[in-house]
């Protein structure tokens, strides 16, 4: 017997419509590059999104066309988040921290047709514009005129109607596209359907997940180009939450100022951001009013336990650790404690909160060791595999990466984990040797290959070394050719034109030989061990 409920497509349209209809006065606050604050509402947003959708169609947008955005977090970016998919296009967020070469590759692979770009990010566009083929470039200007080759966003939408004839969208249709550079080799595209974004929003809003309601004020520190700011702009719009966008100002003081002024209740970002904030709060006790904050979501890299403890004990602030991936939209697990675990010792509670957490509803997990499924004993390690309605089933036009998806329908995360008897997942290692610095991936292999192109270098291996501020930073172990010389300065100069600045190794360690395994490959685990007590200088990371 079949159920007798309506066939109702799960698309972003009812989310968008509800915010405009029932929360027209709820604010959307943006901080622009010049630090000025602009206030808008869901009521205005509802009209502006429709104006933008009309303008995109006028620019030639066809169903399925990819529209790229290169922007910081602000309310105009939120307009693009809805107007592009609701007009039948695919929102493709670009990470401005990537090199021009990578951005050109990604845009050509995605076949982007239009680009919306912040005026302050035009220098990034300059780095790749010759290598891409766009129908039009639209600039989010602020206080400056758009350059001649581009269209000014406000001038473009101003004459448009504020009602749009939304096309019929089927829930399986693509709404968003995001590339992950999470492994070596070329970035891989993940295509989000309307249905995935809707279901992900519904579960993210649950109190045991990220926990959002119409009474909250949410500030995503996580950029809108990192897995759709973890889906928070969609989730917040769905429930009518006030949204506060920090623009490019992500330093601790600027953020604390906004938390205080806008009475932010929920915020989210990578550990590096929170370490900076913890440091500022420790240095200047009593200066900042953080009493409105109910939860700070930390993810993208492991949240150090000392940080969770520091916020808790010294500032009464609740850090919630979560795990996810570009391929999982991204929410996978959240480390909130079950009620009976709240009664455990303080030590045990902290230990559990520093784990990656319990899978959220509809994210199924299994842990596969060398000999099949591993026991949930908190000790046996295996690769975490996941499946669910917002987990990718393949990459965009990338058959070479098909082996990340198992024959029986699971996604291989590449994270090595244990699971305890309560079901809490804990990452112990990564199967890959990537470096995650301030929430951004750095490929060790790409750096090694480049270094080994230097005339004086015989061998080079790059590994992640724990760093108090950035989580991890690259350190290069270098073996020089007999009789050759190359100072760290010379090596840095050699790499500089080839990589984004934050990719450049912070230190070089000269060795006679790099440890290798039985098959002659670099033994990175041994190298990491050798370098684990590496002492960092106080210098900030270049380019960040
Ligand atoms: P990305 O696709 O760039 O978001 O990167 C996803 C990867 O980041 C995961 O496979 C993990 O290796 C890592 N990651 C994300 N969240 C966490 C976390 N809470 N703890 C440790 N690693 C994490």
């Amino acid at each position: 017997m079949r159920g007798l409920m309506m066939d109702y497509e799960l698309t972003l349209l009812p989310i968008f419509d509800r915010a405009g209809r029932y929360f027209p006065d709820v604010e959307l606050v943006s901080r622009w590059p010049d630090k000025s604050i602009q206030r808008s509402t869901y009521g205005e947003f509802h009209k502006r999104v429709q104006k933008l959708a009309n303008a995109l169609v006028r620019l030639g947008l066809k169903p399925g066309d990819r529209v790229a955005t290169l922007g910081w977090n602000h309310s105009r970016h939120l307009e693009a988040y809805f107007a592009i998919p609701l007009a039948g296009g695919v929102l493709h967020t670009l990470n401005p921290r990537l090199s021009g070469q990578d951005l050109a590759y990604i845009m050509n692979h995605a076949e982007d047709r239009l680009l919306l770009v912040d005026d302050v990010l035009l220098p990034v566009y300059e780095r790749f514009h010759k290598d891409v083929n766009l129908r039009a470039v639209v600039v989010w200007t602020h206080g400056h005129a758009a350059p001649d080759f581009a269209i000014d966003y406000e001038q473009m939408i101003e004459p448009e109607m504020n009602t749009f004839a939304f096309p019929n969208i089927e829930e399986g249709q693509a709404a968003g596209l995001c590339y992950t550079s999470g492994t070596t080799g070329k970035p891989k595209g993940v295509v989000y359907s309307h249905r995935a974004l809707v279901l992900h929003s519904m579960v993210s809003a649950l109190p045991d997940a990220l926990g959002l309601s119409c009474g909250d004020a949410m500030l995503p520190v996580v950029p809108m180009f990192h897995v759709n700011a973890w889906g928070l702009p969609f989730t917040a719009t769905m429930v009518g939450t006030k949204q506060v966008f920090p623009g490019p100002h992500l330093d601790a003081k600027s953020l604390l100022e906004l938390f205080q002024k806008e009475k932010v209740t929920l915020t989210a970002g990578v550990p590096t951001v929170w370490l900076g904030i913890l440091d500022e709060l420790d240095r200047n006790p009593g200066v900042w009013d953080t009493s409105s904050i109910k939860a700070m979501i930390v993810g993208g890299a492991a949240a150090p336990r000392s940080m969770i403890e520091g916020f808790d004990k010294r500032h009464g602030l609740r850090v919630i650790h979560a795990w996810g991936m570009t391929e999982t939209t991204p929410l996978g697990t959240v480390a909130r404690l079950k009620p009976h675990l709240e009664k455990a010792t303080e030590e045990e509670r902290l230990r559990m909160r520093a784990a990656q957490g319990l899978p959220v509803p509809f994210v199924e997990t299994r842990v596969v060791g060398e000999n099949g499924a591993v026991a949930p004993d908190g000790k046996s390690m295996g690769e975490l595999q996941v499946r669910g309605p917002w987990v990718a089933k393949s990459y965009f036009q990338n058959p070479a990466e098909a082996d990340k998806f198992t024959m029986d329908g699971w996604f291989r995360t590449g994270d090595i984990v244990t699971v305890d008897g309560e079901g809490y997942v804990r990452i112990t290692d990564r199967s890959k040797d990537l470096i995650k610095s301030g929430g951004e991936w750095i490929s060790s292999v790409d750096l090694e290959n480049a270094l080994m192109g230097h005339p004086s270098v015989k061998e080079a291996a790059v590994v992640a070394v724990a760093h108090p501020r950035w989580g991890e930073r690259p350190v290069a172990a270098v073996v020089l050719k007999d009789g050759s010389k190359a100072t760290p300065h010379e090596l840095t100069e050699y790499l500089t034109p080839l990589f984004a600045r934050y990719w450049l190794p912070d230190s070089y360690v000269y060795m006679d030989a790099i440890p290798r395994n039985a098959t002659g490959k670099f033994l990175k685990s041994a190298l990491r061990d050798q370098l684990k007590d590496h002492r960092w200088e106080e210098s900030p990371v270049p380019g960040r």
Side-chain angles (χ1 to χ4, degrees):
M1 181 174 170
R2 308 240 343 131
L4 293 174
M5 293 294 126
M6 293 180 181
D7 292 324
Y8 184 95
E9 298 295 305
L10 299 178
T11 73
L12 295 175
L13 186 55
I15 291 184
F16 165 72
D17 233 26
R18 184 172 184 270
R21 196 180 290 260
Y22 302 121
F23 300 98
D25 301 325
V26 171
E27 280 186 312
L28 302 170
V29 180
S30 305
R31 181 178 247 170
W32 298 111
D34 63 2
K35 283 214 150 184
S36 62
I37 298 275
Q38 191 217 348
R39 316 187 87 83
S40 168
T41 60
Y42 279 123
E44 285 167 48
F45 159 82
H46 198 252
K47 293 189 189 119
R48 286 172 59 87
V49 166
Q50 299 191 64
K51 279 169 168 272
L52 173 56
N54 279 315
L56 291 171
V57 170
R58 203 177 295 281
L59 282 178
L61 181 85
K62 297 274 178 308
D65 272 357
R66 269 73 79 192
V67 180
T69 64
L70 190 59
W72 296 109
N73 293 7
H74 49 66
S75 60
R76 288 161 164 178
H77 208 163
L78 184 73
E79 289 160 12
Y81 261 47
F82 282 87
I84 295 167
L86 292 180
V90 181
L91 165 77
H92 177 199
T93 50
L94 296 169
N95 183 344
R97 293 171 182 153
L98 295 177
S99 67
Q101 214 179 359
D102 272 349
L103 284 167
Y105 169 82
I106 288 172
M107 293 186 81
N108 288 327
H109 188 269
E111 296 175 50
D112 291 331
R113 289 288 161 259
L114 301 167
L115 171 70
L116 275 63
V117 53
D118 272 345
D119 52 5
V120 289
L121 291 173
L122 281 168
V124 176
Y125 168 72
E126 298 289 323
R127 297 208 297 257
F128 63 80
H129 76 281
K130 285 204 191 77
D131 303 318
V132 295
N133 181 16
L134 292 167
R135 221 179 279 146
V137 176
V138 178
V139 185
W140 284 310
T141 55
H142 194 75
H144 304 279
D148 289 344
F149 63 82
I151 302 167
D152 181 283
Y153 181 81
E154 291 299 329
Q155 285 174 15
M156 176 182 80
I157 67 168
E158 204 272 326
E160 297 292 344
M161 302 263 289
N162 59 21
T163 53
F164 177 70
F166 292 103
N168 274 334
I169 290 173
E170 173 255 308
E171 65 180 20
Q173 230 168 282
L177 170 61
C178 190
Y179 278 70
T180 171
S181 34
T183 57
T184 48
K186 293 291 182 202
K188 304 181 295 286
V190 177
V191 183
Y192 306 109
S193 61
H194 277 261
R195 175 187 152 87
L197 294 177
V198 168
L199 293 173
H200 181 268
S201 301
M202 284 171 28
V203 166
S204 296
L206 292 175
D208 290 335
L210 305 186
L212 261 82
S213 86
C214 64
D216 279 309
M218 186 279 297
L219 186 151
V221 185
V222 50
M224 290 172 89
F225 51 79
H226 266 178
V227 212
N228 304 322
W230 301 347
L232 284 163
F234 293 121
T235 311
T237 306
M238 182 183 76
V239 295
T241 303
K242 170 178 170 178
Q243 303 189 50
V244 184
F245 298 104
H249 304 288
L250 304 178
D251 59 287
K253 283 189 180 164
S254 300
L255 290 171
L256 282 161
E257 217 173 86
L258 266 190
F259 293 162
Q260 183 171 304
K261 207 158 148 211
E262 300 302 328
K263 306 225 174 328
V264 168
T265 59
L266 186 122
T267 169
V270 295
T272 305
V273 167
W274 305 120
L275 286 167
I277 288 183
L278 182 59
D279 184 54
E280 170 60 25
L281 292 176
D282 284 344
R283 273 174 206 261
N284 296 306
V287 166
W288 301 103
D289 178 6
T290 55
S291 57
S292 59
I293 297 180
K294 292 193 293 203
M296 294 166 15
I297 312 288
V298 185
R305 177 195 159 127
S306 58
M307 182 184 94
I308 300 177
E309 189 176 13
F311 273 117
D312 230 35
K313 284 201 175 144
R314 301 200 289 280
H315 306 287
L317 286 167
R318 188 88 172 154
V319 170
I320 308 285
H321 192 195
W323 169 91
M325 302 179 75
T326 307
E327 292 88 337
T328 65
T329 313
L331 191 61
T333 67
V334 183
R336 292 195 193 255
L337 298 188
K338 297 181 191 174
H340 74 95
L341 295 172
E342 289 285 5
K343 296 188 195 116
T345 60
E346 191 182 333
E347 177 64 20
E348 181 59 8
R349 284 203 308 271
L350 263 177
R351 205 184 67 79
M352 297 297 284
R353 288 177 53 207
Q356 277 62 30
L358 209 57
V360 296
F362 301 110
V363 171
E364 290 185 59
T365 57
R366 71 179 184 189
V367 183
V368 182
E370 283 186 350
N371 306 315
V374 308
D377 56 9
K379 290 192 200 86
S380 313
M381 276 191 241
E383 184 188 34
L384 178 67
Q385 300 189 357
V386 294
R387 67 177 183 190
W390 53 85
V391 178
K393 66 175 175 190
S394 69
Y395 290 114
F396 181 52
Q397 293 176 352
N398 197 337
E401 297 282 352
D403 65 335
K404 298 286 186 311
F405 306 90
T406 70
M407 297 296 280
D408 61 344
W410 294 76
F411 169 64
R412 303 179 52 197
T413 66
D415 287 327
I416 304 300
V417 303
T418 62
V419 177
D420 66 17
E422 296 281 355
Y424 284 71
V425 174
R426 187 180 293 271
I427 295 187
T428 55
D429 202 352
R430 282 203 294 272
S431 60
K432 42 211 186 221
D433 292 311
L434 284 157
I435 300 154
K436 201 155 198 194
S437 167
E440 301 279 358
W441 288 112
I442 297 173
S443 162
S444 57
V445 173
D446 290 1
L447 284 171
E448 287 159 15
N449 287 342
L451 273 173
M452 287 191 271
H454 187 281
S456 302
V457 174
K458 184 171 157 205
E459 282 178 355
V462 179
V463 291
V465 175
H467 187 282
R469 177 151 181 221
W470 301 108
E472 292 176 345
R473 288 293 304 152
V475 172
V478 177
V479 181
L480 294 176
K481 290 179 185 161
D482 283 348
S484 293
K485 266 198 191 153
T487 62
H489 180 71
E490 283 164 9
L491 293 173
T492 301
E493 272 197 333
Y494 179 76
L495 294 177
T496 298
L498 307 174
F499 296 101
R501 291 188 70 197
Y502 72 91
W503 272 51
L504 304 179
D506 286 16
S507 283
Y508 293 84
V509 178
Y510 294 87
M511 295 187 167
D512 291 331
I514 288 168
R516 288 174 184 273
N517 70 9
T519 57
K521 290 189 188 152
F522 290 151
L523 197 53
K524 294 256 181 108
S525 51
L527 193 57
R528 272 195 291 266
D529 242 354
Q530 251 169 283
L531 296 176
K532 72 176 188 306
D533 296 320
H534 185 76
R535 290 180 69 86
W536 296 104
E537 315 225 325
E538 277 302 307
S539 63
V541 173
R544 306 303 298 287

